[in-house]
Amino acid sequence: GQNIDQPTEMTATEGAIVQINCTYQTSGFNGLFWYQQHAGEAPTFLSYNVLDGLEEKGRFSSFLSRSKGYSYLLLKELQMKDSASYLCAVADSNYQLIWGAGTKLIIKP
Amino acid sequence: IAGITQAPTSQILAAGRRMTLRCTQDMRHNAMYWYRQDLGLGLRLIHYSNTAGTTGKGEVPDGYSVSRANTDDFPLTLASAVPSQTSVYFCASSDSSRGADYNEQFFGPGTRLTVL
């Protein structure tokens, strides 16, 4: 079967760094996406990894290890507006996205 | 219109009624998708369309139907609603013509549907 695992909830402090992990088992792999979803809103694209390594985009970075079926999203200099759910999704052999249940990130002052 | 729009924003529906959720995009994306999102579960694909005139079944297609008469519109129909179809429904689109290795999906604002 296909499976995406990520923690249900995490708490971090404003100004700190947090790492959200995602492990996956899918039929084929054509890239891994991270999306941000604020409560009551639509998911919005954050990052895409298809090769091993780190992709940096401002305060956000995403890492991929295909051999380990593992990715993480790193958020630096946390701001209150970063309070949201972070969704990990893998494009399978048919290029369909398989989604994790999301990690709710709570930022405390 | 900018991006993807969905209508209605929310709806309360009696069980057994027929309902069509509308989705329109103006980005000329070839691919469109319908997802449902339930608490504690990831987004689940209901139906998709890779190009106008074609549709396919996703993970949870039962009780739903779609059509893709043109590039812009992708309506989702519940023929006879049941309470288990209470959910938030998101429409999304992507431009797979950029290359199959990049399939960023853009989402509409969602429709919150309650079936009583």
Side-chain angles (χ1 to χ4, degrees), chain B residues 45-47 57-65:
Chain B
L45 183 65
I46 304 171
H47 285 285
K57 293 182 179 180
E59 179 186 356
V60 288
D62 293 343
Y64 306 95
S65 63

Side-chain angles (χ1 to χ4, degrees), chain B residues 17-105:
Chain B
R17 297 297 296 269
R18 180 183 179 90
M19 176 73 191
T20 295
L21 308 185
R22 299 185 297 279
C23 174
T24 300
Q25 54 107 356
D26 66 353
M27 297 177 284
R28 308 302 295 172
H29 285 173
N30 58 307
M32 296 187 76
Y33 314 85
W34 273 106
Y35 292 95
R36 59 178 290 172
Q37 186 174 40
D38 302 290
L39 195 63
L41 299 177
L43 288 161
R44 291 184 291 169
L45 183 65
I46 304 171
H47 285 285
Y48 65 93
S49 169
N50 287 329
T51 188
T54 69
T55 63
K57 293 182 179 180
E59 179 186 356
V60 288
D62 293 343
Y64 306 95
S65 63
V66 292
S67 62
R68 186 89 183 276
N70 56 60
T71 297
D72 298 344
D73 301 299
F74 191 43
L76 175 74
T77 297
L78 288 67
S80 180
V82 294
S84 62
Q85 292 178 311
T86 294
S87 186
V88 179
Y89 291 86
F90 286 103
C91 179
S93 71
S94 67
D95 180 9
S96 60
S97 66
R98 294 177 58 181
D101 63 337
Y102 193 89
N103 192 31
E104 177 188 347
Q105 294 185 10

Side-chain angles (χ1 to χ4, degrees), chain A residues 30-31 33 35 37 40-45 48 50 87 91 95-102, chain B residues 33 35 37 40-45 48 50 90 100-109 112:
Chain A
N30 283 299
F33 294 81
Y35 279 75
Q37 185 177 26
E41 297 183 6
T44 55
F45 171 79
Y48 171 74
V50 67
L87 314 181
Y95 297 96
Q96 299 293 354
L97 293 187
I98 309 300
W99 296 82
Chain B
Y33 314 85
Y35 292 95
Q37 186 174 40
L41 299 177
L43 288 161
R44 291 184 291 169
L45 183 65
Y48 65 93
N50 287 329
F90 286 103
D101 63 337
Y102 193 89
N103 192 31
E104 177 188 347
Q105 294 185 10
F106 296 82
F107 285 80
R112 186 174 296 273

